[in-house]
Amino acid sequence: MQERRSATRIDKVFRVLISTDEFGDQGYVARNISATGMFVEMAEPLPLNTKVIVRFTLPNDDAAICALARVQNHYYVHYNDRDELRGLTGVGVRFLRFVPEAGAPIPRDRMH
């Protein structure tokens, strides 16, 4: 099967802070990041097309890298773990743009 993704993916697990107007700030586990998006584990996936701010915190640093993104897909993954069936839910987010003022509050007019 041929890979459809054009961007190289990094399969690392890391913490992100996702902010939305409707749901506030919440910490999640993200993985499988590329230049265009990533997968975020969520027990209760955000609605499709929800605009979010993703903050990637840097260890031992107050700085953060921020991106504006949109929820593109919902995923429900089932897998075996030592002969036990497990499940994982989450969302695929697509990066819209990165915010140059890393860690700074996002002005309202830049959310749209």
Side-chain angles (χ1 to χ4, degrees):
M1 185 171 169
Q2 185 178 358
E3 178 64 48
R4 295 182 332 167
R5 298 176 180 139
S6 61
T8 303
R9 300 226 171 236
I10 300 170
D11 192 19
K12 280 289 193 189
V13 176
F14 50 95
R15 306 268 319 149
V16 294
L17 181 69
I18 304 275
S19 303
T20 66
D21 286 338
E22 189 172 342
F23 301 103
D25 298 341
Q26 296 184 30
Y28 294 102
V29 173
R31 59 177 74 230
N32 203 8
I33 188 170
S34 76
T36 59
M38 67 182 177
F39 174 76
V40 182
E41 295 178 20
M42 292 183 178
E44 301 283 329
L46 295 170
L48 291 174
N49 296 317
T50 300
K51 287 185 181 176
V52 299
I53 299 170
V54 181
R55 285 187 173 85
F56 304 87
T57 57
L58 304 174
N60 302 321
D61 199 336
D62 290 338
I65 299 169
C66 299
L68 300 181
R70 178 177 318 216
V71 175
Q72 276 305 102
N73 300 299
H74 287 162
Y75 292 101
Y76 304 92
V77 181
H78 294 249
Y79 61 95
N80 279 326
D81 182 22
R82 298 186 189 138
D83 297 326
E84 187 175 337
L85 185 62
R86 295 188 181 262
L88 177 68
T89 59
V91 299
V93 298
R94 180 173 184 79
F95 299 135
L96 302 174
R97 67 177 173 260
F98 285 86
V99 181
E101 56 273 11
I106 311 302
R108 289 300 234 206
D109 64 320
R110 301 207 37 207
M111 277 293 290
H112 304 289

